[in-house]
Amino acid sequence: MLLLLFVPALVFVTGCDSSGNGGVGNGDGNGNGDEEVGLLEPGPVDESDTMVEVDSDDDGTAERVRVTDVGNNGVVPPDADGNSVTWSSDKTYELNGFVFVNPGDTLNIEAGTEIQGRLGGGADASALIVASGGVIQAEGTASDPIVFTSVRAEEEELGRDDRGLWGGVILLGDAPTNNGSQVAVEGVPDNTGARILYGGQNADHSIGTFKFVSIRHTGTQLGNGDEIQGLTLGGVGAGSTIEYVESYASADDGFEWFGGTVNTKYLITAYESDDAFDIDQGFRGSNQFWLAVQGGNTAGRASEMDGAGSPEGATPYAESIVSNATYIGMGPSVSDVSGDANDPFIIHRDNNATSYHNSIFTGGRTNAGIQIEDLDGDEDAANRWAAGELEHQDNLWYNIGPDFGDQTTFESLIQLTTGDDGNPSGDRGEAFRTNLANYLRAESNEIVTDSPLASITREGGNGAIQSFTPAPANAATSGANKPSDFGAKSPGVNDSWTAVDFRGAFGPGADWKLSEGWAKITQDGTVN
């Protein structure tokens, strides 16, 4: 039975085909196929009214809900009493274009709910955006996660190389940035008005809860050349709960912060085309237990840490803290790649002072290493290092850099900032290599010749990763130290240090709950 309901306040349109016909790509990897895909093809929105079509099964329950943002109304309350919208696990929700949770509104998503983004790029891209002042309560469980994926997942098994099939998830708030004013988030058309603005002075801002969520196959190309990350956080504050979140097979970054003060734990990014973790515009959160796993055909940097846009010396500086990260790169023998390809593996720029503690960096290509930008003048990250604000302490480097094996030194891992002539571009010159290498050794960083992980299996020995066992081994089983100011710059949710002795993201005391199946990397065999 087909029910047609006309409800002026509602903004979601339910498709008439509960079978969910999936589309296929055109072979260029962005999922923007030209063939007809029935229910799931992008379609125009009639703003003269808001129609809800319910395709009912035998018990009268809708199976599929198409969500469309009509007239910039967002996901508005469904009744006059102002009750917030709940997306329930007995339905599949299909994002049709850019869908917003407007300021003042709340979107609840039940554990076990699947949300699918429609195929298309540019103006036809699909994304879920929580505007500053909006709230999302998306709390899955380890055994029943919330999954954001592509409509193609309805009919085919998507994997590591299926990137760029829809937009992604964007969370915006009014926590501080170093932009000087509110700015528009990248990757979203400006015809949506003030809903794409973020930034302010509310360090305690709360976007709500985003927990046990897997975001897959994101990063479709937009008309202005931008992509959307798996998860974008713009001006998100320390009152928010962001933990147990996975970004899988993004055609752009896994995670990107544009300022804000949110603290996070248990983040996974796997098989992204660009950077695993990207920090911009004065992000000052504290973070523990991060995992990055890169594929063998395309990748950026494991961590790209920028400080500000323009001017690059804007304050507050990005003084975030990351402890107990494990970054697994593309593999030393991978040669036919695109993207930045781990060059360098970790980079600090533009007055970024993100500090790393108790972390494992492994498996980068032969040109992988660490670079702390050194320029003539005052707008480089080397100034933050010299001031004692940018710290690298108790980290392990394994099977990474130009020499590999017993001959690798910190001097060979350090990539100086150079000019067009190939010479050091900063006022510290070649001496910066020696000084930085001596600092890393003095702060208990180690280049190790025995794997800090229980096992890593790669194609052809050192090729693209097949699987790994994340338990700490050898030097990683001990030696961790508590960052002295963990949470001090960003008090709020997740600001407390989880006391552990091991280095890297996994070990006794770190409860990832991966065995319960919430992350795609356990389903595809990446993690043993």
Side-chain angles (χ1 to χ4, degrees), residues 223-525:
N224 57 1
D226 291 328
E227 296 92 7
I228 299 175
Q229 289 68 235
L231 181 62
T232 301
L233 301 108
V236 175
S240 311
T241 299
I242 308 290
E243 56 187 26
Y244 298 101
V245 181
E246 175 188 50
S247 175
Y248 183 94
S250 170
D252 198 43
D253 301 331
F255 295 85
E256 185 163 8
W257 288 259
F258 294 96
T261 52
V262 64
N263 306 310
T264 71
K265 285 186 176 177
Y266 301 107
L267 302 188
I268 299 170
T269 173
Y271 308 117
E272 75 292 324
S273 290
D274 200 1
D275 307 312
F277 295 99
D278 194 337
I279 289 172
D280 294 284
Q281 300 176 3
F283 172 53
R284 294 170 66 83
S286 296
N287 313 275
Q288 192 173 15
F289 308 126
W290 280 7
L291 172 66
V293 182
Q294 296 186 314
N297 58 352
T298 180
R301 290 145 182 160
S303 188
E304 181 174 285
M305 292 160 286
D306 297 306
S310 180
E312 293 178 356
T315 57
Y317 296 133
E319 295 182 17
S320 52
I321 297 173
V322 181
S323 185
N324 296 95
T326 294
Y327 293 165
I328 303 175
M330 302 180 73
S333 70
V334 175
S335 57
D336 185 15
V337 298
S338 60
D340 292 320
N342 298 168
D343 185 12
F345 198 62
I346 293 176
I347 186 170
H348 300 265
R349 297 187 296 206
D350 309 335
N351 277 298
N352 177 282
T354 296
S355 295
Y356 273 90
H357 302 258
N358 311 317
S359 296
I360 294 172
F361 310 126
T362 182
R365 298 177 70 235
T366 54
N367 55 344
I370 180 173
Q371 183 180 106
I372 297 178
E373 182 187 56
D374 181 26
L375 302 173
D376 289 326
D378 297 327
E379 296 186 354
D380 62 21
N383 285 326
R384 307 278 64 78
W385 170 76
E389 298 163 0
L390 193 170
E391 299 176 336
H392 275 259
Q393 297 177 346
D394 302 288
N395 302 313
L396 300 177
W397 296 76
Y398 171 70
N399 202 20
I400 190 169
D403 296 322
F404 287 44
D406 295 342
Q407 302 305 311
T408 302
T409 64
F410 280 119
E411 282 82 357
S412 64
L413 281 175
I414 293 167
Q415 296 176 256
L416 296 180
T417 312
T418 57
D420 294 338
D421 58 2
N423 294 318
S425 61
D427 46 21
R428 292 167 179 80
E430 180 64 35
F432 186 36
R433 185 190 307 278
T434 300
N435 293 336
L436 181 55
N438 288 337
Y439 162 82
L440 293 171
R441 282 188 284 264
E443 294 297 332
S444 300
N445 298 279
E446 301 176 62
I447 297 173
V448 296
T449 55
D450 295 315
S451 176
L453 299 178
S455 71
I456 300 179
T457 303
R458 293 184 180 272
E459 299 172 0
N462 285 329
I465 192 168
Q466 289 181 308
S467 63
F468 73 99
T469 302
N474 301 308
T477 60
S478 62
N481 288 297
K482 175 184 176 181
S484 59
D485 53 354
F486 193 90
K489 295 183 176 67
S490 186
V493 178
N494 280 333
D495 64 336
S496 61
W497 153 264
T498 297
V500 295
D501 295 326
F502 61 87
R503 289 182 275 189
F506 295 87
D511 190 3
W512 281 85
K513 303 184 186 297
L514 289 178
S515 62
E516 297 185 47
W518 70 271
K520 178 72 171 178
I521 60 168
T522 61
Q523 301 168 19
D524 73 355

Side-chain angles (χ1 to χ4, degrees), residues 28-32 152 158-166 216-220 248-252 270-274 293-299 338:
D28 63 4
N30 63 13
N32 301 332
R152 281 179 51 183
L158 300 177
R160 301 175 178 184
D161 298 334
D162 293 305
R163 305 179 180 99
L165 303 185
W166 64 289
R216 306 169 184 176
H217 314 296
T218 58
T220 187
Y248 183 94
S250 170
D252 198 43
Y271 308 117
E272 75 292 324
S273 290
D274 200 1
V293 182
Q294 296 186 314
N297 58 352
T298 180
S338 60

